Amino acid sequence: MILTTTNSIEGFKIINYLGIVTGVAMNETKLSMGFSVSKYYKSVSDSVDITKEKAFQKLQENALKLEANAIVGIKVEIELANNNYAMVSVTGTAVKVVE
């Protein structure tokens, strides 16, 4: 599966736009502020990375349901909810491409 933030893929032609797909994931491990700010920032970074991977996996699964072989125009939104849960939302357009 080709993933890109751009609206086209160099060397490929989009032959069919299949629809908008999303992947949303939330890390339900609450992050707590301790005595070390650097440890807190590291735990936030790790939480976002893990959650982002889950969101991208769901994005690809949803695109495969539409028989897409690429996703273009990907946008990523990352939030820390008020209860310190990391949430990642990934949206893009599922397409069929050929070389």
Side-chain angles (χ1 to χ4, degrees), residues 30-99:
K30 188 171 183 178
L31 304 172
S32 59
M33 182 68 155
F35 293 109
S36 172
V37 173
S38 63
K39 285 183 183 178
Y40 175 73
Y41 286 145
K42 170 105 172 76
S43 68
V44 168
S45 177
D46 292 346
S47 175
V48 168
D49 287 344
I50 291 166
T51 308
K52 185 176 64 170
E53 286 303 315
K54 289 178 186 176
F56 268 97
Q57 187 63 39
K58 289 180 182 180
L59 177 78
Q60 291 179 72
E61 289 170 5
N62 290 333
L64 286 172
K65 289 177 188 175
L66 298 176
E67 299 181 6
N69 61 355
I71 305 170
V72 297
I74 293 174
K75 303 278 188 270
V76 180
E77 293 183 30
I78 300 170
E79 283 186 49
L80 273 181
N82 58 1
N83 49 10
N84 279 349
Y85 294 120
M87 186 177 96
V88 177
S89 173
V90 185
T91 305
T93 302
V95 296
K96 182 73 94 173
V97 297
V98 294
E99 284 190 69

